[in-house]
Amino acid sequence: MSRAERAELAWVAMRSLVLDSNDRRRDVAEALGMSYIRVKALRRVAAGPTTIRDLAESLGTDAPYATIVVDDLEQRGLVERSVDARDRRRRIVTATAAGTAEAERAGQIMDAPPPALVELPAADLAALERIVTGLLPPSAVPRPASDPGRPPGAPSTSPPRGAARSGTARSRAR
């Protein structure tokens, strides 16, 4: 078997392990009573205040859809909006205490490893962690699902206002 064939088999097995056999998205959506995109948005906002535009970018969607998601989270009492003191045209979305608690609950569900993983011998777990961490791009910092986005106060990764946007984020969401 070639190296490429082995890599493909390993990739298919990892994808199946995470997305097919142990997909926590459905579990967390059911536990919180909302769609997974709303859970993901709530967790991102709970990580630190953000603008609708930055939230949309981190969700891989467009601002109008992110606004719909934020509207729903706001109606549930999980987030609130305020005017950006630096640019009154922009709104800052912040998690409420209830929103932060729900985001933490979501993180606990997402972080729970499947029983088969927990039952692996310690040496196998250490090797698996080393291998998977080694596959991450250098810019990626390993963090649990309870830490979904860039740290609060980190600079925005959005292009400056008026800069050309590729539309890639919108096409990924479709």
Side-chain angles (χ1 to χ4, degrees):
M1 182 178 295
S2 75
R3 191 177 182 124
E5 290 169 325
R6 285 201 184 278
E8 183 178 349
L9 285 174
W11 176 249
V12 169
M14 286 189 306
R15 193 181 70 224
S16 179
L17 174 68
V18 173
L19 297 178
D20 298 335
S21 303
N22 299 287
D23 187 357
R24 297 286 193 254
R25 292 177 293 188
R26 184 176 320 150
D27 297 339
V28 75
E30 287 176 8
L32 273 64
M34 64 180 83
S35 69
Y36 181 70
I37 191 77
R38 283 164 173 72
V39 172
K40 189 174 176 182
L42 176 61
R43 292 177 60 232
R44 170 58 191 90
V45 173
T50 188
T51 64
I52 296 283
R53 181 179 181 179
D54 286 345
L55 180 62
E57 185 177 303
S58 72
L59 296 175
T61 190
D62 57 21
Y65 185 67
T67 299
I68 291 169
V69 169
V70 168
D71 287 345
D72 182 65
L73 294 173
E74 191 172 39
Q75 288 174 353
R76 293 169 185 257
L78 302 174
V79 302
E80 54 193 14
R81 287 180 248 213
S82 60
V83 175
D84 185 342
R86 294 173 300 184
D87 183 347
R88 298 192 55 78
R89 297 170 294 184
R90 295 170 38 155
R91 301 290 179 258
I92 303 295
V93 183
T94 307
T96 63
T100 300
E102 285 295 272
E104 288 174 6
R105 185 171 154 218
Q108 291 170 350
I109 294 167
M110 296 295 291
D111 288 347
L117 187 62
V118 173
E119 294 168 7
L120 284 176
D124 289 350
L125 281 172
L128 180 60
E129 180 185 8
R130 180 186 53 78
I131 291 166
V132 172
T133 302
L135 294 172
L136 295 173
S139 62
V141 175
R143 60 182 183 250
S146 58
D147 181 12
R150 62 183 161 82
S156 170
T157 56
S158 294
R161 189 174 299 283
R165 290 187 56 143
S166 68
T168 303
R170 285 187 299 277
S171 64
R172 277 187 298 206
R174 292 187 177 117

